[in-house]
Amino acid sequence: MTLKNKTCEPCRGGVPPLTLDAAQAMLANVPAWVLNASGTRLSRRFEFTDFATAQAFAVKVGEASDTEGHHPVLSYSWGYCEVVFYTHKIGGLHENDFIMAAKVNALG
Amino acid sequence: MTLKNKTCEPCRGGVPPLTLDAAQAMLANVPAWVLNASGTRLSRRFEFTDFATAQAFAVKVGEASDTEGHHPVLSYSWGYCEVVFYTHKIGGLHENDFIMAAKVNALG
């Protein structure tokens, strides 16, 4: 099953976050996303030609994430929207973050 | 005229940003907003009890700012929305930023 068709499983906390190596390996499945240096955050910046389109995209991502119960930080202004996934309960990345990144790529 | 009823004037660049003293003086007009240390950014964090309400608020702020042609950076996730005003063309704050902050307070 491709990543974008998977469903986020409830994340209970207590499980370890993905290691940096594991996160880097999964990155190949989500083109254009980047990891921070410690491998604890997964982000992608989308560019737009105005404010309204950037906001509409944020809302589309937000709705998809609310459906899965796994929410990014969405930051946008004129011409861009940045999406950052991170799993608070485990202080790093979970497969859920990559599933959501793949779903966002399918929206873009 | 109260700040919230004013309209953002086109900002041409080339005009100096508000001084830190001037920005601090204007802060009294926009309750709950905070300045960064150098007085170049004006921000307020709003708290919510879920994701959808935070996103709906971001959109309301976004629409008001698009009407004025003066856009904040909007950052939100589950339970909060942060609004940051800054005038790129002058590298700091302009009266427009305080006008928008007052308009956002009127929405909240």
Side-chain angles (χ1 to χ4, degrees):
Chain A
M1 188 185 282
T2 61
L3 211 52
K4 76 171 186 209
N5 295 321
K6 292 179 90 165
T7 306
C8 289
E9 58 181 75
C11 181
R12 296 173 309 282
V15 301
L18 292 172
T19 63
L20 178 56
D21 281 355
Q24 283 171 338
M26 290 198 70
L27 203 57
N29 299 310
V30 288
W33 289 75
V34 294
L35 285 176
N36 65 340
S38 57
T40 54
R41 277 172 175 71
L42 182 63
S43 65
R44 181 172 173 187
R45 184 180 165 104
F46 295 82
E47 308 277 346
F48 300 95
T49 55
D50 63 13
F51 180 82
T53 315
Q55 176 165 272
F57 181 75
V59 169
K60 208 156 58 161
V61 172
E63 288 171 349
S65 72
D66 214 23
T67 301
E68 293 291 329
H70 190 59
H71 305 96
V73 177
L74 289 153
S75 299
Y76 64 97
S77 189
W78 196 99
Y80 74 90
C81 175
E82 190 185 40
V83 186
V84 182
F85 283 103
Y86 165 75
T87 299
H88 281 263
K89 280 187 186 163
I90 62 175
L93 293 174
H94 184 276
E95 188 192 24
N96 290 346
D97 296 298
F98 289 87
I99 291 171
M100 285 308 310
K103 288 184 188 293
V104 170
N105 277 1
L107 298 174
Chain B
M1 189 187 281
T2 61
L3 211 51
K4 76 171 187 214
N5 296 322
K6 292 181 91 164
T7 305
C8 289
E9 58 183 74
C11 180
R12 296 174 310 283
V15 302
L18 292 171
T19 62
L20 178 56
D21 281 355
Q24 283 171 339
M26 291 199 70
L27 203 56
N29 300 311
V30 288
W33 289 75
V34 295
L35 284 177
N36 65 340
S38 57
T40 54
R41 277 171 175 72
L42 182 63
S43 65
R44 182 172 172 186
R45 185 181 164 104
F46 295 82
E47 308 276 345
F48 301 95
T49 55
D50 63 13
F51 180 82
T53 315
Q55 176 165 271
F57 181 75
V59 169
K60 207 157 58 163
V61 172
E63 288 171 350
S65 73
D66 214 23
T67 300
E68 293 292 330
H70 191 59
H71 306 95
V73 177
L74 290 153
S75 299
Y76 64 98
S77 189
W78 196 100
Y80 74 90
C81 175
E82 190 184 39
V83 186
V84 182
F85 283 104
Y86 165 74
T87 299
H88 281 264
K89 279 187 187 164
I90 62 175
L93 293 174
H94 184 278
E95 188 192 24
N96 289 346
D97 296 297
F98 289 88
I99 291 171
M100 286 308 309
K103 289 184 188 293
V104 170
N105 277 2
L107 298 174

